[in-house]
Amino acid sequence: MPGPPIALLTDFGLDDWYVGVMKGVILTVNPEARIVDVTHGIPRHDVLAASFALLVSYPYLPRGTIFIVVVDPGVGTARRILCTRTAGRYFIAPDNGILTGLVSRVSPDKMVSVENQEYFLRPLSSTFHGRDIFAPVAARLSQGVSIDEFGPRIREFHKVEVPGPAVETASATATVVWVDSFGNLITNCRGGVVEDLAGRWGRVVVQAGSQPPFPVVAGYETVEPGLPLGIIGSSGYLEISIREASAEMRFGLGLGAEVHLLPG
Amino acid sequence: MPGPPIALLTDFGLDDWYVGVMKGVILTVNPEARIVDVTHGIPRHDVLAASFALLVSYPYLPRGTIFIVVVDPGVGTARRILCTRTAGRYFIAPDNGILTGLVSRVSPDKMVSVENQEYFLRPLSSTFHGRDIFAPVAARLSQGVSIDEFGPRIREFHKVEVPGPAVETASATATVVWVDSFGNLITNCRGGVVEDLAGRWGRVVVQAGSQPPFPVVAGYETVEPGLPLGIIGSSGYLEISIREASAEMRFGLGLGAEVHLLPG
Amino acid sequence: MPGPPIALLTDFGLDDWYVGVMKGVILTVNPEARIVDVTHGIPRHDVLAASFALLVSYPYLPRGTIFIVVVDPGVGTARRILCTRTAGRYFIAPDNGILTGLVSRVSPDKMVSVENQEYFLRPLSSTFHGRDIFAPVAARLSQGVSIDEFGPRIREFHKVEVPGPAVETASATATVVWVDSFGNLITNCRGGVVEDLAGRWGRVVVQAGSQPPFPVVAGYETVEPGLPLGIIGSSGYLEISIREASAEMRFGLGLGAEVHLLPG
């Protein structure tokens, strides 16, 4: 039975050696580690986008997985590094709000501030804690070192405001929080909210940009290729899509854009 | 002795968490699975390009490999999902013609329509069968579950017309089916066809765009850096290249472009 | 205890099947091989950039690691393929100068010219030695085959001139040798050189483009977000950065650009 996987989620991209050397450090500490890339394509320094990506991806990694989450514009400042056990998994992340979404849904069993330099790489750089702290700490965790070894227990940590959809009587406004490679616009509006509105209004339509409203449907096959639709996507949130084309291109909308839900 | 590798070939790109969660699902089902990325860079929704990429890559993966092939513009429609054993390997793919090239070369030992929901993730999304069906089915196959467990045996499946080169008496026309990262233009013209023409014509030259014809050579060293050439590339097909530069940029040609072979 | 990792460093990108089939070949030869991507994002055909990337990344991969380094504009010409054991690791690379940086720092225990066709794939292509030679040779090395099996011992190999910083009495000029995904401009000026200059001048400032000079600092937190800085980066070289933004964009500088160090 192999040990728990170590899952990486960063904004490093794959063009540099940064992800490669993190893997090298992990394998130096634990030659049997198994490493999975969740993504390295988080928009640079975008803590909110990373928080969302983590929230919708973590449940699909096995229980026991150790997540390294590095979107860390404050590297080299006094910000702390958190290690928490929650939802049956471990998460190592900078204390910059990136865990807000996760912890709002599942409260942590335990959280420590990673401070025990015994587990850090030497010399410690001021610009690449992913390599020098996150990677060796994750590798040690994967070998069974107790979370309490890494630093003192803490209860308070940094949170960011994660905007939810704004629901009014006769309309609701959702915000685009991720644009995927297919050009789908993923919003912050959970499927349950759309269902509630449908119960109240009978039928929900979406208005995006200056285009005429279009329906929220149950599957792509409901509309012809090339037509727009709203759909509760695979992550459980309302997405704006064009069947077999890019909603990003068609609507000219991106991260942070607002779309409107109206009675249909 | 580890189990068979699971090889992924998709048009998902690597910027989202989609490939990561497929891997997570595989490892949740089979913690010992070994996963290999063939590529996630298939042009979006391009079934023909995916079919070509599969055809030229699969022989280099070990016998026993389980391929997950997801270029699936019809996800969420009634299209079937195929699982076939052929060429000593397994292939799981949407029934949209993506296996046409492969099956034209090696006929399948066995093919089933993947329908047994017992092996699917719950809840089943309508937009991400890669995560909810392909991944867990591949993981089960890698654990030794019989292909017959996944659904009924079928014989007929969807094929697409894969255009071959058009060979005339005094000319031939090939079509670009892949443009690689170096800017090489890979055509649908197999090396054997070029050899036949060389036998008949004595010498074969290529005309691409409005440029003067250039020779088909055996190796890059035959021409100076910066000059164009035709060559039977590493995939066994005629490629149009510029030595140490990009033919895509030089000729302004891309997917679907035609090039001409002439007696030299 | 698993065998040594095989680490890949190429200019292939990830959009084609090239990296995938190299992994397939490795796993066909050695089903237990563990493969790590260092990066496939080396600028195409840029031997100097690859040499730098290798130099700053290799120490973070475990001792025993077998590196496949393929930036090989001369593939298909008579250039040799080198296999060397140095710094406790193995390196397989074209004889085009790519090992210059590495070998200037740690002299090789042993070097052979890879010529024993018994270990090559058949048929051998003239355009993809990564798949047909580098991959199977690395896989055999990982199984314990002796380096001497692959070809004759050699002492001389191709080197390229790796430009260092030009240090004068009252100024120094450094060259950008890597631009990372965050837009940091990494120069060829090692931290020790900057320290020497600081000892001599008291304080060192950097001039990049036509902007006013800015300081060399110990950590990002020293300057406000949006301001420029010089810093000894995680690779041990002087980098030009903008805190939480892209120096590449701000200065309009790229690979090969020069920046100046002056008394501050």
Side-chain angles (χ1 to χ4, degrees):
Chain A
M1 194 64 178
I6 295 174
L8 308 181
L9 193 157
T10 81
D11 63 351
F12 290 171
L14 290 168
D15 285 342
D16 307 306
W17 54 83
Y18 300 153
V19 172
V21 299
M22 285 179 64
K23 293 178 179 175
V25 169
I26 291 169
L27 291 171
T28 301
V29 174
N30 179 4
E32 313 217 20
R34 291 175 309 138
I35 305 169
V36 181
D37 299 296
V38 177
T39 184
H40 301 286
I42 303 293
R44 308 276 172 248
H45 295 161
D46 191 332
V47 168
L48 266 180
S51 173
F52 184 78
L54 180 63
L55 188 63
V56 297
S57 59
Y58 89 83
Y60 297 96
L61 277 288
R63 290 181 77 81
T65 295
I66 297 156
F67 285 81
I68 295 178
V69 185
V70 199
V71 175
D72 192 11
V75 65
T77 68
R79 68 90 186 83
R80 296 183 302 187
I81 295 174
L82 307 175
C83 180
T84 183
R85 194 175 66 199
T86 179
R89 297 161 181 87
Y90 288 93
F91 299 85
I92 310 171
D95 184 15
N96 61 10
I98 216 168
L99 298 180
T100 309
L102 178 72
V103 171
S104 71
R105 202 170 296 172
V106 278
S107 67
D109 302 337
K110 223 179 226 193
M111 185 178 283
V112 305
S113 170
V114 176
E115 298 175 11
N116 188 345
Q117 304 199 10
E118 188 187 322
Y119 296 103
F120 297 179
L121 232 61
R122 295 293 172 78
L124 178 68
S125 74
S126 73
T127 57
F128 193 1
H129 289 177
R131 179 192 70 191
D132 299 343
I133 302 179
F134 292 77
V137 164
R140 289 296 184 195
L141 265 178
S142 77
Q143 291 178 312
V145 170
S146 160
I147 184 172
D148 286 310
E149 279 293 306
F150 299 108
R153 202 73 75 81
I154 57 173
R155 291 185 179 283
E156 295 304 311
F157 61 99
H158 196 75
K159 286 169 192 153
V160 288
E161 200 178 336
V162 179
V167 179
E168 316 273 341
T169 310
S171 74
T173 301
T175 302
V176 175
V177 291
W178 191 270
V179 181
D180 78 11
S181 300
F182 293 90
N184 298 311
L185 305 166
I186 307 180
T187 76
N188 62 348
C189 186
R190 296 193 70 170
V193 174
V194 180
E195 279 163 28
D196 286 351
L197 294 175
R200 215 190 300 163
W201 295 342
R203 187 163 167 272
V204 178
V205 296
V206 181
Q207 178 145 38
S210 55
Q211 308 273 319
F214 47 86
V216 177
V217 301
Y220 292 148
E221 84 281 9
T222 313
V223 307
E224 294 298 307
L227 290 186
L229 56 101
I231 191 167
I232 309 309
S234 60
S235 307
Y237 288 80
L238 176 69
E239 302 183 11
I240 312 304
S241 299
I242 307 285
R243 185 170 166 201
E244 299 181 25
S246 165
E248 180 188 23
M249 307 272 269
R250 179 77 60 86
F251 292 119
L253 299 178
L255 269 185
E258 294 189 340
V259 298
H260 302 284
L261 284 78
L262 304 166
Chain B
M1 193 66 178
I6 296 174
L8 307 181
L9 194 158
T10 80
D11 62 352
F12 290 171
L14 291 167
D15 284 342
D16 307 305
W17 54 82
Y18 300 153
V19 171
V21 299
M22 285 179 64
K23 293 178 178 174
V25 169
I26 291 169
L27 291 171
T28 301
V29 173
N30 179 3
E32 313 218 19
R34 289 174 310 139
I35 305 170
V36 182
D37 298 296
V38 178
T39 183
H40 301 286
I42 304 292
R44 308 275 173 248
H45 295 161
D46 191 332
V47 169
L48 266 179
S51 174
F52 184 79
L54 180 63
L55 189 63
V56 298
S57 60
Y58 87 83
Y60 296 96
L61 278 288
R63 290 181 77 81
T65 296
I66 297 156
F67 285 80
I68 295 179
V69 185
V70 199
V71 176
D72 193 11
V75 64
T77 67
R79 68 91 186 83
R80 295 183 303 187
I81 294 173
L82 307 176
C83 180
T84 182
R85 195 175 66 198
T86 180
R89 297 161 181 89
Y90 289 93
F91 299 85
I92 311 171
D95 184 15
N96 61 9
I98 216 168
L99 298 180
T100 309
L102 177 73
V103 170
S104 72
R105 202 170 296 172
V106 278
S107 67
D109 303 337
K110 224 179 225 192
M111 185 178 281
V112 305
S113 170
V114 176
E115 298 176 11
N116 188 345
Q117 304 199 12
E118 188 187 322
Y119 295 103
F120 297 0
L121 234 59
R122 295 293 171 79
L124 178 68
S125 74
S126 74
T127 57
F128 194 2
H129 289 177
R131 179 191 71 190
D132 299 343
I133 302 179
F134 292 77
V137 164
R140 290 295 184 195
L141 266 178
S142 77
Q143 291 178 311
V145 170
S146 161
I147 183 174
D148 286 310
E149 279 294 307
F150 299 106
R153 202 73 75 80
I154 57 173
R155 291 185 179 283
E156 297 303 313
F157 60 100
H158 195 75
K159 286 169 193 151
V160 287
E161 201 178 335
V162 179
V167 180
E168 316 273 341
T169 311
S171 74
T173 301
T175 302
V176 175
V177 291
W178 190 270
V179 181
D180 77 11
S181 300
F182 293 91
N184 297 311
L185 305 166
I186 307 180
T187 75
N188 62 349
C189 186
R190 297 193 70 170
V193 173
V194 180
E195 280 163 27
D196 286 352
L197 294 174
R200 215 191 300 164
W201 295 343
R203 186 162 168 274
V204 178
V205 295
V206 181
Q207 179 145 38
S210 55
Q211 307 273 320
F214 47 86
V216 177
V217 300
Y220 292 148
E221 83 283 10
T222 313
V223 307
E224 294 299 306
L227 290 185
L229 57 102
I231 192 167
I232 309 308
S234 60
S235 308
Y237 288 80
L238 176 69
E239 301 182 12
I240 312 305
S241 298
I242 307 284
R243 186 170 166 202
E244 299 180 26
S246 164
E248 180 188 25
M249 307 271 269
R250 179 76 60 86
F251 292 120
L253 298 178
L255 269 185
E258 293 189 342
V259 298
H260 302 283
L261 285 78
L262 304 166
Chain C
M1 192 66 178
I6 296 174
L8 308 181
L9 194 158
T10 80
D11 63 350
F12 291 171
L14 290 167
D15 284 343
D16 307 306
W17 54 84
Y18 300 154
V19 172
V21 299
M22 285 179 65
K23 294 179 179 174
V25 169
I26 290 168
L27 291 172
T28 301
V29 173
N30 180 4
E32 313 217 20
R34 289 174 310 138
I35 305 169
V36 182
D37 299 296
V38 178
T39 184
H40 302 286
I42 304 292
R44 309 276 172 245
H45 295 161
D46 192 332
V47 168
L48 266 179
S51 173
F52 184 78
L54 180 63
L55 189 62
V56 297
S57 59
Y58 88 84
Y60 296 97
L61 278 287
R63 290 182 76 81
T65 296
I66 297 157
F67 285 80
I68 295 179
V69 185
V70 200
V71 175
D72 193 11
V75 64
T77 68
R79 68 92 186 81
R80 295 183 304 187
I81 294 173
L82 307 175
C83 181
T84 183
R85 194 175 66 199
T86 181
R89 297 161 181 88
Y90 288 93
F91 299 85
I92 311 171
D95 184 15
N96 61 10
I98 216 167
L99 298 180
T100 308
L102 177 72
V103 171
S104 71
R105 203 170 296 171
V106 278
S107 67
D109 303 336
K110 224 180 227 192
M111 185 179 283
V112 304
S113 170
V114 176
E115 298 176 12
N116 188 345
Q117 304 200 9
E118 188 186 322
Y119 295 104
F120 298 179
L121 234 60
R122 295 294 172 78
L124 177 67
S125 73
S126 73
T127 57
F128 194 2
H129 290 177
R131 179 192 70 192
D132 299 344
I133 301 179
F134 292 77
V137 164
R140 289 296 185 196
L141 266 177
S142 77
Q143 291 178 312
V145 170
S146 160
I147 183 172
D148 286 311
E149 279 293 306
F150 299 108
R153 202 72 76 82
I154 57 175
R155 289 185 180 283
E156 296 303 313
F157 61 98
H158 195 75
K159 286 169 193 151
V160 288
E161 201 178 333
V162 179
V167 179
E168 315 274 340
T169 310
S171 73
T173 301
T175 303
V176 175
V177 292
W178 191 270
V179 182
D180 78 10
S181 300
F182 293 90
N184 298 311
L185 304 166
I186 306 180
T187 76
N188 61 349
C189 186
R190 296 193 70 171
V193 173
V194 181
E195 280 163 28
D196 287 351
L197 294 174
R200 215 190 300 163
W201 294 342
R203 186 162 168 272
V204 178
V205 296
V206 182
Q207 178 146 39
S210 55
Q211 307 273 321
F214 47 85
V216 177
V217 300
Y220 293 148
E221 83 283 10
T222 313
V223 306
E224 294 298 307
L227 291 185
L229 57 102
I231 192 167
I232 309 309
S234 60
S235 308
Y237 288 80
L238 176 69
E239 302 183 11
I240 313 305
S241 299
I242 307 284
R243 186 171 166 201
E244 299 181 25
S246 165
E248 180 188 26
M249 307 272 268
R250 179 77 58 88
F251 293 119
L253 298 178
L255 269 185
E258 294 188 340
V259 298
H260 303 284
L261 285 77
L262 303 166

